[in-house]
Amino acid sequence: MIGFLIQRVLQALMVIIAMSIIVFLGVYAIGNPIDVMIDPASDQALREALIHRYGLDRPLIEQYFVFMNNMLHGDLGESFIYRLPVIGLIWSRFPATLELALTAMMIATCLGIPLGLWAGYKPDSWSAKAIMTFSVLGFSVPTFWVGLLLIMTFAVELGWLPSGGRGPVSNVFGLNLSIGSLEGWSYIILPAFNLALFKLGLLIRLTRAGTIEVMSSDYVRFARAQGLSEGKVVGLHVLKNISIPIVTVFGLELGSTLAFAVVTETVFNWPGMGKLIIDSITVLDRPVMVAYLILVVFLFVLINLVVDLVYGQLDPRIRVKAAS
């Protein structure tokens, strides 16, 4: 297991370094932030002073190494627009995105796995067909349209839930979260369900496909021949054997949910990292853009590393194959 861990950590470090270069070059190529920061009528002296102040007159390779050196020391630079340290700016928005993503994945998991199990256990029933129809809608309907529909239905027409914003927050494990109060839940439930819809459809289809495959296997027939109840057959044999792809997809989708909650946060005016990056792209706030994308890469790599380790625990053959 130690060799497996070392191999995965080295691979993760190489991915982070490679992606940091791609991100830095990509953000550098999209435009000059000085053109947005100052009035076009400003004189050349002010323009050159700002360029020198932010180090934009240095060679690109030197700017990259300066950024990496500062990042290794915990300094991601200062926002051009907010005039605040980037790490503090992103961290102030991170709890909002984290609780939205975790709540969305909790909804998708708690509904998707049981519905997928039932759809795979009774594939020809009308309820299974209804479940699969719902999963297709989760894939097909655009996120922004569903979000607007949820706002129109539950906030405007029925008046049950607020249409946007985050609402009151409370300190939970050192983070300012909305889920600590009932009023906070009223603000998060609509954006979380909107964000969970695609993941829900994916988990339903994945769980159903695995259940149908496992239900026809020899060890399930043997378990039934031993007289085990259907609940134990599904819980002990079916669910355990379909858990590996579910864990993999859960990890990947958690990373994508954290990174790409942009549309949901924009529609519901949720003050998370997604809304921050949209505002930063609009004004070419390069330090925030680079730091956000590097953070996204790090989160993906970290989550994939954890998934690989859990994968290795669930299936020892993977550790043996990696070690060889």
Side-chain angles (χ1 to χ4, degrees):
M1 190 66 187
I2 295 177
F4 180 74
L5 175 61
I6 293 174
Q7 181 183 5
R8 288 296 185 265
V9 170
L10 291 176
Q11 290 176 352
L13 290 176
M14 288 189 291
V15 170
I16 290 175
I17 293 172
M19 289 305 300
S20 68
I21 296 174
I22 295 173
V23 165
F24 195 85
L25 293 176
V27 172
Y28 183 88
I30 66 173
N32 189 351
I34 300 300
D35 296 334
V36 180
M37 294 172 61
I38 63 175
D39 192 321
S42 301
D43 57 18
Q44 188 64 23
L46 176 59
R47 180 184 179 88
E48 291 179 356
L50 280 175
I51 290 175
H52 179 73
R53 174 185 174 185
Y54 292 110
L56 301 178
D57 54 346
R58 299 177 181 179
L60 180 58
I61 188 68
E62 184 179 345
Q63 291 185 45
Y64 171 74
F65 281 114
V66 169
F67 169 77
M68 290 299 293
N69 180 64
N70 292 337
M71 186 178 70
L72 292 175
H73 289 85
D75 180 12
L76 295 177
E78 181 181 279
S79 168
F80 291 162
I81 305 302
Y82 296 98
R83 299 292 194 272
L84 294 172
V86 171
I87 190 168
L89 186 61
I90 292 178
W91 178 249
S92 67
R93 304 291 188 96
F94 180 71
T97 298
L98 178 65
E99 71 169 344
L100 180 61
L102 290 179
T103 304
M105 290 306 297
M106 180 183 69
I107 293 173
T109 304
C110 292
L111 293 178
I113 294 178
L115 290 176
L117 280 171
W118 179 257
Y121 184 70
K122 297 286 187 180
D124 296 324
S125 64
W126 67 267
S127 56
K129 294 177 181 178
I131 291 170
M132 295 311 297
T133 302
F134 174 77
S135 71
V136 171
L137 290 176
F139 276 109
S140 307
V141 182
T143 302
F144 73 89
W145 188 83
V146 175
L148 294 175
L149 188 63
L150 290 173
I151 291 174
M152 287 296 298
T153 303
F154 294 99
V156 178
E157 297 294 335
L158 298 176
W160 291 351
L161 298 169
S163 61
R166 195 180 179 197
V169 297
S170 55
N171 190 281
V172 180
F173 302 115
L175 299 174
N176 291 324
L177 303 177
S178 301
I179 57 177
S181 65
L182 186 60
E183 186 179 358
W185 273 103
S186 69
Y187 280 88
I188 197 174
I189 192 65
L190 284 184
F193 182 78
N194 183 56
L195 189 59
L197 195 58
F198 178 84
K199 323 297 180 186
L200 177 58
L202 180 62
L203 283 174
I204 287 175
R205 298 180 73 83
L206 181 67
T207 305
R208 174 185 178 273
T211 302
I212 291 176
E213 181 180 356
V214 170
M215 287 298 292
S216 61
S217 62
D218 291 336
Y219 53 83
V220 169
R221 295 193 188 98
F222 183 73
R224 283 173 166 167
Q226 285 183 310
L228 293 180
S229 64
E230 288 299 300
K232 288 185 177 180
V233 169
V234 173
L236 294 179
H237 296 277
V238 176
L239 187 58
K240 182 179 179 180
N241 283 278
I242 66 173
S243 61
I244 291 179
I246 291 176
V247 167
T248 303
V249 170
F250 180 89
L252 295 175
E253 291 304 315
L254 176 59
S256 67
T257 304
L258 283 168
F260 306 122
V262 176
V263 174
T264 297
E265 291 187 359
T266 302
V267 170
F268 289 91
N269 196 30
W270 187 264
M273 295 191 300
K275 194 170 186 305
L276 174 64
I277 192 60
I278 289 295
D279 296 339
S280 300
I281 291 173
T282 304
V283 295
L284 290 180
D285 197 348
R286 188 180 293 174
V288 176
M289 295 162 63
V290 173
Y292 173 82
L293 293 173
I294 292 292
L295 176 62
V296 167
V297 170
F298 177 77
L299 285 174
F300 265 105
V301 170
L302 179 62
I303 291 173
N304 279 319
L305 177 61
V306 173
V307 168
D308 282 342
L309 297 178
V310 174
Y311 207 76
Q313 289 292 335
L314 292 174
D315 191 348
R317 294 172 298 178
I318 297 172
R319 300 198 302 268
V320 174
K321 182 179 179 181
S324 62

